[in-house]
Each structure stands twice: as structure tokens, then as C-alpha cells.
């Protein structure tokens, strides 16, 4: 699984891989196996692959992202297992293990993918939780599917969790799971982490099933969010829509008889990245050479600007292109001196809003390049691909200016990866104040992407930044991230969960 929106997500479905995976099931968890620590997420942390691909073992390869790196040691130390969808519609895959982690696949049918994943998760909740940048759609059939699939995930945990086990549920696709677990297994310690923003009650109010969602989340002992404003929004919604009593970070949850059943705590735990992996790659001779090659391939421009995003309307790619086009029109940047590389990795391509966005972005890039390109130089180098992490770090090293212009983003790990890769303390980060990362990266050039003139000015400040200022800012940001990597995030969350349950019981 890709932890909270870094851009690369691969995965290849082949008949051969499918066969191997199903056959390989014999080595994994059996139907009766019980685990002390369970992680539950929509996707399992593995992708299908074919035998000739690097890192491919028995038809599977670990997916990129910090979450699995952070949790893998915990999984192997504590007899853990991961529950999630294996990525192939309509296919039953038996439990198996990969890279020392026991994996318990949950099956999704073609209908589940359309109604639960593309529908309720990504065309209702995703836009609703991201400031209604696109209009959310409300369909009762989607909601029914969301309930049914959440029940299926919860059942897999209920079957495999040992007495008193710790269960950590991840993200907005599974918000009903905590309550389903508590009802069936009050012995469990239940944590939930929301990787995306939680909207203010004024927006959340639109959701016809708002009470059921809050109730579902309140089944957890600890509900984690990226920013304290998200935790605040959640607590205000609990008060407003369920009449819950909320004191400081604690929500008193009442049963049908009006008695308090337990206290759920809501708190911010800003997620981070695998700092060691990115730092090591940034110092590897192959990656450094590849970065130089990228610069040479682009004709050694004075400035390379870089955007790296999933092709998602929350990322502000249109705003970024608009600002860049105007800078070219104004003559503030020229194609001889500067190139913008935009990596837009394919995402949720069957959802209407994503299809429209792709058309618009690709039309705009074509228009900009048609207007400003010369035989030698290209204004925007647009790449609609996912890349392995080695190539991403080469791009980070090649780029003088990183543009993160999200209109709303839970965290934005690309910003943290860029900063970590700049081991020489150079380069400039332009960062939207609407990304969670802005809470930690205060020395970035923070801006409001809706303000196109402000965005243009900020891009020019980054392009023209003096080395001493760049170094001062980058040094401070790197210190923040080096001190707060993803291991610390997961251990902070799990320690808070353990402490909370012990305190409640004593
Ligand atoms: O940020 C939320 C998230 O679900 C991430 O966990 C994931 O990497 C990204 O969005 C894309 O998710 P998917 O391809 O599963 O819809």
C-alpha cells in the first residue's frame, strides 16, 4: 500500500502471477490461525508481479510506501497479520505470507469495486473529505455496498484476532470497521488512522449517513488524524451529530441505554516517510548519475521545476499549470532557461471526475507546449506514469524547485521525500498551506494555490532563491523530517493506543 499518497503505485495482473499467488497460499496463515497484532487496510501491502521483475517473489512484490516499512518489523516481532484486498476483482486468494508478513486477503467482486471502491469511497467520501473540490455523489446503493464490504473486512479480523489483540484499521474506506469489531469482540484494542483530511461539520453535514460514520469510528479506542484541525473537526461532528460529550481529546461513547460504554480519544499523529530509504538512495552513485542524466537529457536548463502527484483533482495540478503558463507568457521564465517536469501517475481511472481531469490536464499541457516549445526545448515535460522509488529520488535530486500545490491533502509525502532527498541542503520547496505537511515544513515557501498571482510570485521566489537562504530553509526542514520518520509515527500511535487502553482498564 502506498502510505497516504505518495505518487508511485504499481501492480501488474498476469495469469501466471495469479496462479502462483493462489498456489503459494499453502505457506500462509491457515483458517484457524490467530494473531496478536492486525493491520487492516483497503489494499494489502503487496502488488502482483511477473517473475522477471525485480523484487518479485512467488508472483508478489511489496508495494512502495512507508506504511509497510514502518509496520513490517512490528508484524514479524508480534505475530502480526495484515488484512486487505489483494487487487484482483472476483478472485479468491487464500491467506499467504510474503516478506515475513502474514497476509489475509479479502475478496472484492466487480460490483464491490464499482459501488464500494469507485463509488462510495472515491466519489462520495473522497470529494466530501477534500473540501468538496469536486461535487460528492450520494447513492444509497453505494452506501449499502460500503456497509457490506466493511462487514467483510471486520469478519476477517474477528476470525483471526487472538484474545486481547491490537487491531489497527487504516483509512476512510473502512470507517465502519471499528464499531463492528467492538460489538463482536470487546476484548480487542482498536485503533483507527484516517490518512486523508476530516472535513468540518458544516461540510460533513451533507452526508446522509453521517451518524453511522461517526458511530463507526467511535468504536475505536484511539482515532488518529493527520492534523489537529482534522481531530477537532471529528470531535465537533461527534458532538453535533451524535450529541456525544467531548472533553479535551476524549469522546464519551454511550450505548443504547445511555450509559458510557467507553471513551474514544481523537488525536493528531502526522504520518511521515521511510527516511533511511530515501536518504540512502539520494546518496547512491547510480541515483546521482541518473539525476545528472535527467538534467542533460533536458538540455541542462538553469532551473528544473518538478511536480509529482497522483492524477487527482485535489492536487492542484491545473492551478500549477495555469501559474506556469502565465509566467511563460509574462516572460518571467523561458523554455531555454527552465523546464517543468510533471509526473502524474494514473489513478482511479474509471471514476468520471478523474477522467475529466486527465482530459483537462493533458489539453492544457498540449496547449502550453504548442505555444512555447522550440525545436530544442519543451516547456512542460508531462509523464503519465508511475515510477519506482529510485527514479523518483533521481527526479528529486535533479529538481531545483519542487511544486506541491494541493488544494487539500491529508499530508503529502512527496514534499517530505523531496526534502529528505536534498542531502546537500539545496533546492526550494513551494508548498500549499492546505497540505498536512505544511504543519511540519514551516520553512517551505507556503502559499495558497487558489491565488494564482501569489503562486506565480512564490514560484519566482523559489527560482531566484539565493543559496544561503535555500540552505537555511532546507536544513531546518530536513531536521524536522529526520527526527520524525514513519517508525516514530507508528510507534507513537501504538504506544498511545496501548497506554489509553491500560488507563481505561485501571
Ligand atoms: O491517501 C489515501 C489513499 O488511499 C492512499 O492510501 C493511497 O495510496 C492513495 O489514496 C491511492 O489509493 P487507491 O489507489 O487505493 O485508490
Amino acid at each position: 500500500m502506498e502510505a497516504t499518497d505518495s505518487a508511485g503505485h504499481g501492480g501488474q495482473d498476469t495469469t501466471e502471477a495469479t496462479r502462483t499467488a493462489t498456489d503459494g497460499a499453502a505457506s500462509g496463515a491457515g483458517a484457524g490461525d490467530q494473531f496478536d497484532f492486525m493491520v487492516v487496510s483497503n489494499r494489502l501491502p503487496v502488488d502482483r508481479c511477473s517473475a522477471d521483475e525485480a523484487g518479485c517473489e512467488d508472483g508478489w512484490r511489496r508495494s512502495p510506501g512507508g506504511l509497510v516499512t514502518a509496520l513490517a518489523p512490528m508484524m514479524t516481532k508480534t505475530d502480526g497479520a495484515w488484512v486487505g484486498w489483494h487487487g484482483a476483482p472476483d478472485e479468491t486468494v487464500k491467506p499467504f505470507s510474503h516478506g515475513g508478513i502474514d497476509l489475509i486477503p479479502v475478496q472484492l467482486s466487480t460490483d464491490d469495486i464499482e459501488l464500494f471502491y469507485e463509488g462510495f469511497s472515491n466519489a462520495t467520501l473522497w470529494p466530501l473529505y477534500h473540501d468538496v473540490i469536486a461535487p460528492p455523489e450520494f447513492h444509497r446503493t453505494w452506501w449499502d455496498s460500503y456497509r457490506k464490504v466493511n462487514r467483510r473486512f471486520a469478519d476477517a479480523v474477528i476470525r483471526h484476532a487472538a484474545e486481547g489483540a491490537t487491531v489497527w484499521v487504516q483509512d476512510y474506506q473502512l470507517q465502519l470497521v471499528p464499531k463492528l469489531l467492538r460489538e463482536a469482540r470487546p476484548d480487542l484494542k482498536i485503533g483507527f488512522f484516517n490518512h486523508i483530511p476530516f472535513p468540518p461539520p458544516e461540510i460533513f453535514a451533507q452526508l446522509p449517513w453521517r451518524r453511522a460514520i461517526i458511530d463507526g469510528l467511535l468504536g475505536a479506542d484511539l482515532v488518529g488524524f493527520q492534523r489537529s484541525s482534522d481531530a477537532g473537526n471529528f470531535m465537533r461532528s461527534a458532538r453535533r451529530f451524535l450529541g456525544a460529550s467531548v472533553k479535551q481529546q476524549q469522546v464519551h461513547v454511550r450505548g443504547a441505554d445511555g450509559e458510557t460504554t467507553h471513551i474514544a480519544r481523537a488525536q493528531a499523529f502526522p504520518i511521515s516517510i521511510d527516511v533511511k530509504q530515501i536518504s540512502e538512495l539520494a546518496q547512491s552513485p547510480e541515483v546521482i548519475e541518473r539525476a545528472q542524466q535527467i538534467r542533460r537529457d533536458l538540455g541542462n536548463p538553469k532551473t528544473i521545476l518538478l511536480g509529482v502527484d497522483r492524477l487527482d483533482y485535489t492536487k492542484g495540478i491545473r492551478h500549477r499549470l495555469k501559474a506556469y503558463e502565465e509566467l511563460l507568457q509574462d516572460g518571467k521564465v523561458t523554455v531555454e532557461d527552465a523546464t517543468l517536469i510533471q509526473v502524474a501517475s494514473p489513478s482511479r481511472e474509471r471514476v468520471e471526475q478523474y477522467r475529466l481531469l486527465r482530459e483537462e490536464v493533458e489539453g492544457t499541457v498540449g496547449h502550453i507546449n504548442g505555444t512555447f516549445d522550440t525545436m530544442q526545448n519543451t516547456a512542460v515535460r508531462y509523464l503519465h506514469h508511475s515510477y519506482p522509488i529510485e527514479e523518483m529520488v533521481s527526479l528529486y535530486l535533479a529538481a531545483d524547485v519542487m511544486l506541491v500545490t494541493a488544494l487539500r491533502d491529508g499530508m503529502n509525502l512527496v514534499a517530505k521525500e523531496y526534502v529528505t532527498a536534498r542531502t546537500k541542503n539545496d533546492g526550494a520547496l513551494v508548498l500549499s498551506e492546505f497540505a498536512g505537511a505544511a504543519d511540519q515544513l514551516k520553512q517551505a515557501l507556503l502559499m495558497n494555490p487558489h491565488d494564482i498571482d501569489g503562486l506565480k510570485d512564490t514560484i519566482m521566489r523559489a527560482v531566484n532563491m539565493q543559496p544561503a537562504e535555500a540552505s537555511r530553509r532546507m536544513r531546518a526542514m530536513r531536521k524536522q523530517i529526520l527526527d520524525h520518520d514513519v517508525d516514530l509515527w507508528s510507534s507513537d500511535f501504538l504506544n498511545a493506543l496501548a497506554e489509553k487502553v491500560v488507563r481505561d482498564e485501571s
Side-chain angles (χ1 to χ4, degrees):
M1 159 144 98
E2 175 201 348
T4 323
D5 259 9
S6 139
H9 200 300
Q12 189 181 338
D13 203 356
T14 67
T15 318
E16 191 200 347
T18 306
R19 251 196 323 271
T20 319
T22 316
D23 294 344
S27 61
D33 284 356
Q34 304 266 291
F35 299 92
D36 293 325
F37 176 54
M38 299 188 80
V39 175
V40 195
S41 62
N42 181 44
R43 289 184 193 268
L44 282 175
V46 287
D47 291 319
R48 284 273 164 70
C49 56
S50 51
D52 53 343
E53 290 176 70
C56 191
E57 246 179 69
D58 291 340
W60 298 96
R61 151 184 74 194
R62 189 183 273 197
S63 3
L67 186 60
V68 54
T69 316
L71 296 177
M74 184 75 185
M75 287 272 162
T76 36
K77 232 185 345 203
T78 59
D79 192 14
W82 200 307
V83 176
W85 179 46
H86 48 77
D90 293 316
E91 194 189 315
T92 308
V93 177
K94 291 196 200 130
F96 64 106
S97 55
H98 184 270
I101 303 183
D102 280 305
L103 302 170
I104 301 176
V106 172
Q107 192 197 326
L108 294 186
S109 67
T110 305
D111 273 0
D112 296 331
I113 291 164
E114 188 188 326
L115 307 174
F116 153 78
Y117 170 71
E118 291 164 355
F120 199 78
S121 298
N122 289 318
T124 302
L125 294 174
W126 183 268
L128 186 77
Y129 283 30
H130 286 88
D131 283 0
V132 292
I133 296 165
E137 290 183 46
F138 304 112
H139 299 292
R140 284 164 287 180
T141 47
W142 293 1
W143 167 244
D144 290 344
S145 176
Y146 187 80
R147 282 170 48 207
K148 195 176 75 186
V149 172
N150 270 246
R151 158 61 66 196
R152 198 176 306 151
F153 276 81
D155 284 346
V157 177
I158 291 163
R159 256 196 316 276
H160 285 282
E163 176 72 22
T166 296
V167 182
W168 192 0
V169 184
Q170 310 287 329
D171 230 355
Y172 64 102
Q173 301 94 342
L174 301 176
Q175 294 173 96
L176 304 181
V177 171
K179 166 119 193 249
L180 295 170
L181 294 180
R182 182 169 291 277
E183 280 170 350
R185 294 286 306 270
D187 58 297
L188 301 176
K189 299 179 203 52
I190 306 166
F192 180 92
F193 186 77
N194 199 50
H195 291 251
I196 68 171
F198 197 88
E202 295 72 19
I203 288 181
F204 187 69
Q206 291 179 22
L207 186 68
W209 308 282
R210 59 199 186 188
R211 287 170 59 88
I213 293 282
I214 300 284
D215 203 30
L217 290 169
L218 286 176
D221 295 288
L222 179 62
V223 189
F225 296 93
Q226 300 282 23
R227 309 179 92 162
S228 35
S229 55
D230 297 320
N233 287 342
F234 170 71
M235 288 184 282
R236 288 197 291 137
S237 283
R239 190 184 292 130
R240 183 173 313 176
F241 303 120
L242 285 188
S245 125
V246 181
K247 286 198 194 92
Q248 290 165 339
Q249 296 176 319
Q250 308 205 320
V251 185
H252 291 249
V253 186
R254 293 199 206 97
D257 56 2
E259 292 298 308
T260 299
T261 56
H262 69 285
I263 296 170
R265 191 164 125 202
Q267 199 183 321
F269 295 89
I271 199 169
S272 191
I273 56 162
D274 182 354
V275 168
K276 183 164 170 279
Q277 180 198 32
I278 304 289
S279 309
E280 282 176 6
L281 284 173
Q283 291 168 76
S284 115
E286 293 79 25
V287 170
I288 293 170
E289 169 49 31
R290 173 71 190 135
Q292 286 160 356
Q293 180 68 44
I294 292 170
R295 291 197 76 100
R296 285 196 293 274
D297 288 350
L298 293 171
N300 276 320
K302 256 199 247 150
T303 310
I304 293 180
L305 303 100
L306 174 66
V308 173
D309 312 87
R310 271 188 315 103
L311 189 44
D312 192 299
Y313 50 80
T314 59
K315 302 293 183 183
I317 301 171
R318 287 176 289 209
H319 296 64
R320 187 182 312 165
L321 290 173
K322 172 126 191 84
Y324 198 66
E325 180 174 14
E326 289 191 14
L327 289 172
L328 285 160
Q329 272 159 1
D330 302 344
K332 296 257 175 60
V333 292
T334 65
V335 288
E336 287 76 26
D337 282 350
T339 301
L340 168 61
I341 305 176
Q342 176 62 57
V343 176
S345 60
S347 185
R348 304 174 188 165
E349 292 186 288
R350 286 159 30 125
V351 179
E352 176 71 0
Q353 292 290 342
Y354 289 75
R355 273 205 286 257
L356 295 174
L357 174 74
R358 181 170 178 195
E359 276 172 28
E360 209 181 323
V361 165
E362 295 187 352
T364 307
V365 170
H367 175 76
I368 297 174
N369 285 344
T371 310
F372 296 100
D373 279 8
T374 62
M375 285 297 175
Q376 291 81 33
N377 303 106
T378 293
V380 182
R381 196 55 71 99
Y382 171 78
L383 303 153
H384 184 241
H385 305 293
S386 295
Y387 290 101
I389 189 68
E390 293 77 11
E391 183 71 355
M392 296 312 310
V393 177
S394 303
L395 282 165
Y396 296 146
L397 289 183
D400 306 287
V401 175
M402 182 82 216
L403 301 176
V404 177
T405 58
L407 306 178
R408 177 59 76 193
D409 208 334
M411 176 52 62
N412 198 288
L413 295 180
V414 164
K416 292 190 173 181
E417 286 177 355
Y418 177 72
V419 167
T420 306
R422 305 302 300 192
T423 53
K424 296 206 171 94
N425 294 310
D426 55 1
L429 172 64
V430 172
L431 177 60
S432 165
E433 61 195 62
F434 303 118
D439 283 359
Q440 288 98 56
L441 301 179
K442 296 196 161 56
Q443 298 78 11
L445 295 179
L446 296 174
M447 51 80 212
N448 167 8
H450 296 282
D451 170 10
I452 299 294
D453 285 336
L455 175 54
K456 286 164 66 182
D457 288 347
T458 313
I459 292 175
M460 290 319 296
R461 266 184 77 194
V463 168
N464 296 321
M465 191 181 283
Q466 293 305 304
E469 181 182 354
S471 165
R472 181 175 50 74
R473 288 175 181 271
M474 196 55 80
R475 211 176 279 279
M477 290 192 283
R478 282 177 50 74
K479 174 155 178 29
Q480 206 293 331
I481 297 179
L482 268 43
D483 290 347
H484 296 89
D485 77 354
V486 72
D487 285 339
L488 187 66
W489 168 79
S490 61
S491 56
D492 276 355
F493 184 94
L494 291 169
N495 289 339
L497 176 59
E499 244 175 59
K500 179 185 177 297
V501 176
V502 168
R503 215 180 302 134
D504 283 358
E505 279 166 359
S506 58

